[in-house]
Amino acid sequence: MNLNYLKKRHGVTLIELTVVILLIGVVGLVAFSFISFGNKVLGESTKEYDFQFSTRSVLSLTSQTIRYATAVFTVPQSKFDPDNLAEGWDYIGMVETQIEPGVTGHSIVKFTYDEDTGDHSSIVIVPAQEGVDFQFVFKKVNPDEVDSMLSFTVYSIKDGEIDEFGNPALDLTITSEVNSLNSLQVKDWGTTADPAIAVAFLTAERGQSVVGHVAMVLDTSGSMAETLSGSNPGYGNNSRMEILQEEATTLVNSFSQENNIFISLVPFATSANNPGSFYNAKTNLTTLENEIDNLVDPYVGPIGGTNTGDGLRRAYWNLQHYESEAGYGTIVRNYVIVLVDGVTTFGSAISNNNRNFYMGDQNVDEGYLDRQPLDSSGQIVGNGSTLDSKGTAYVNAIGNLIDDENMRVYVIGFSSIPSELDSVSDIAAACGASEDNVFRAGSQGALTEVFEAIQADIINDLASVIGPF
């Protein structure tokens, strides 16, 4: 039989089948890994995109909030308690958040005050994420008195990543800076050791629940007719009085930007018998400017000795009387700015028979009790030309009254002759003024800077009274 026509038939061996199954498994595993990796990458990318988007959104929201707020304070970490927020204030800040049991992170939350309930509602702007932590930090680049610019930054940090110094590596850093257009100023309470992680702000118009009463005690004695170096004014050389009037006008104009500053001018020489009333710097600016123009008789000019204690006395009583006129619930802050160009030469006594110092709130008779010729109707003691012990003692007596009332005092020595400023520190000490509030200005530019510093300090002090903590 011819068997060539029979075709051979081949089967699949067990080994071949096993190899095929293994190949299919490997290909499937590789494909699954690629799909799983792709999904993971896509998920991480989406997660990072969402984080960056929400981060940029919070920066935009914070910028708009600060830009149009009427009061802005940064809140340091030690003082930011989401469970104990100040009444009337809204906040945006970083809050520690539990992601799952044993795992915490940070979220950025906006808190809005509800006047009806007296509570704060909250909304999460950037939620906490596992594996990624971040910091939200506010900081002023320039001092508070320079501008109203506030910088704030979001730093994101991925778990386990470190930089070349072994510190947590920053994965994302976004910084923004904004000018608070409507605020009196932006107050930054954060420090390097205690960074600001929140901002408190008001959006409603600030009322006058806090007012500042500023008594400006200004030397108009005879030496104010001289230049700062002690010579007679000539062409291009203004007298001390002319410089003072120019700079004082600039100062009250600066105060007129606020609606809660009231100013009284108290000129003094041999006495301070013509203290000015208090005027609102904003609504009565022209009146204050006119009073500055008339600090001395334009036909006579500066004249008399230096009875600094009498200027302080009239300022003290002006502040005492005007404080009693403040409305119910109003917080009053009292300030005294003293400018002298020479040592204290006079004091004020009760009478010729009883030379105890005069502490009342009325005018004194300018007759001399200790200077020739004697005047039995006078109340002025002291030599009138050089540093006098009675004049210094009178400053101490009145200064004690001011110090007891916790009035904030600034003392300015206005002369380029060092010996003329020997009383400056004594006046400050008598009134309880800190050394930081003692200034010596030997030029017009220096006086400009001193007045600017004092104005900024008063505005910041008033703002701190109504701050969120």
Side-chain angles (χ1 to χ4, degrees), residues 85 109-112 120-125:
L85 302 176
V109 182
K110 180 179 181 181
F111 299 88
T112 304
H120 287 82
S121 60
S122 62
I123 180 172
V124 177
I125 306 173

Side-chain angles (χ1 to χ4, degrees), residues 199-216:
V199 62
F201 58 92
L202 298 177
T203 54
E205 186 67 27
R206 283 164 60 148
Q208 293 190 20
S209 57
V210 178
V211 298
H213 295 164
V214 182
M216 297 178 61

Side-chain angles (χ1 to χ4, degrees), residues 58-317:
V58 75
L59 291 176
S60 176
L61 172 64
T62 305
S63 294
Q64 291 299 312
T65 298
I66 294 173
R67 185 182 304 277
Y68 299 109
T70 54
V72 178
F73 286 76
T74 69
V75 185
Q77 187 170 7
S78 63
K79 293 184 178 294
F80 183 50
D81 181 0
D83 296 322
N84 187 28
L85 302 176
E87 180 179 338
W89 291 81
D90 296 343
Y91 295 78
I92 296 176
M94 183 177 70
V95 178
E96 186 171 337
T97 306
Q98 181 173 308
I99 301 173
E100 59 182 56
V103 179
T104 60
H106 292 99
S107 56
I108 297 178
V109 182
K110 180 179 181 181
F111 299 88
T112 304
Y113 180 73
D114 188 328
E115 292 185 359
D116 295 330
T117 65
D119 297 322
H120 287 82
S121 60
S122 62
I123 180 172
V124 177
I125 306 173
V126 179
Q129 296 188 25
E130 186 176 359
V132 178
D133 197 12
F134 62 90
Q135 299 290 314
F136 192 34
V137 179
F138 295 85
K139 183 176 180 61
K140 271 194 108 297
V141 177
N142 296 319
D144 300 336
E145 65 271 13
V146 172
D147 58 37
S148 296
M149 299 291 292
L150 182 64
S151 172
F152 45 99
T153 304
V154 173
Y155 306 92
S156 71
I157 305 168
K158 285 188 176 181
D159 287 352
E161 294 188 5
I162 59 174
D163 59 19
E164 66 268 29
F165 303 106
N167 300 316
L170 299 179
D171 181 59
L172 175 68
T173 301
I174 303 178
T175 298
S176 183
E177 189 174 33
V178 63
N179 187 18
S180 186
L181 301 175
N182 296 331
S183 296
L184 297 180
Q185 83 290 318
V186 175
K187 185 66 178 177
D188 184 11
W189 291 105
T191 64
T192 302
D194 191 12
I197 63 170
V199 62
F201 58 92
L202 298 177
T203 54
E205 186 67 27
R206 283 164 60 148
Q208 293 190 20
S209 57
V210 178
V211 298
H213 295 164
V214 182
M216 297 178 61
V217 182
L218 305 176
D219 192 343
T220 61
S221 62
S223 55
M224 289 292 289
E226 302 171 353
T227 66
L228 284 164
S229 61
S231 62
N232 292 323
Y235 179 75
N237 295 312
N238 290 332
S239 69
R240 301 176 187 187
M241 179 55 61
E242 290 170 329
I243 295 172
L244 170 59
Q245 288 173 311
E246 182 179 343
E247 295 304 320
T249 299
T250 301
L251 177 61
V252 298
N253 271 271
S254 297
F255 278 128
S256 72
Q257 303 304 308
E258 324 300 336
N259 63 4
N260 61 340
I261 302 291
F262 296 80
I263 297 175
S264 167
L265 301 176
V266 184
F268 73 94
T270 301
S271 72
N273 279 350
N274 297 293
S277 301
F278 274 99
Y279 295 101
N280 182 281
K282 188 168 191 174
T283 59
N284 298 106
L285 176 60
T286 301
T287 300
L288 288 169
E289 289 177 331
N290 289 337
E291 287 199 355
I292 292 172
D293 289 340
N294 293 285
L295 282 172
V296 296
D297 187 324
Y299 298 103
V300 177
I303 190 172
T306 306
N307 192 345
T308 309
D310 215 53
L312 292 171
R313 175 179 66 86
R314 300 314 293 265
Y316 169 80
W317 284 113

